[in-house]
Amino acid sequence: KRIAAVKSNIRYSFLAGLDTPGSVAETIASFVELTGATASIETTYATFEKVTPESVRDAAARFFKAESRTVVTLSQAKEAKR
């Protein structure tokens, strides 16, 4: 369900962003700049449709490994004396 909701949000957010001629032109120009073709818009969203819970799990296992993580500890700095 969550994957379907994310896919839906991506698709409809994209469409909602095409609300002016300028935004349509900018969006198409971005895709053409990167790929040389407007067909890449369809290819991109077809690729999103192929995402499954298993593919997300596999990607997470491949990229988020304990041995390659960075741990940051944040603490509040003491005020400097004047």
Side-chain angles (χ1 to χ4, degrees):
K1 271 187 163 181
R2 295 183 93 183
I3 297 290
V6 170
K7 289 179 192 180
S8 178
N9 181 275
I10 290 170
R11 182 174 45 252
Y12 292 113
S13 293
F14 173 77
L15 294 173
L18 302 176
D19 56 349
T20 67
S23 64
V24 171
E26 286 179 22
T27 301
I28 292 173
S30 295
F31 278 92
V32 171
E33 178 182 24
L34 293 171
T35 66
T38 58
S40 63
I41 297 170
E42 286 295 325
T43 304
T44 298
Y45 287 90
T47 301
F48 289 151
E49 286 302 315
K50 294 178 183 176
V51 174
T52 64
E54 294 78 19
S55 66
V56 172
R57 193 172 17 259
D58 292 347
R62 189 171 50 235
F63 294 107
F64 300 125
K65 295 181 179 183
E67 63 269 12
S68 62
R69 73 178 171 203
T70 300
V71 177
V72 177
T73 304
L74 301 176
S75 63
Q76 188 171 1
K78 294 180 181 178
E79 284 189 39
K81 293 182 180 181
R82 293 181 186 212

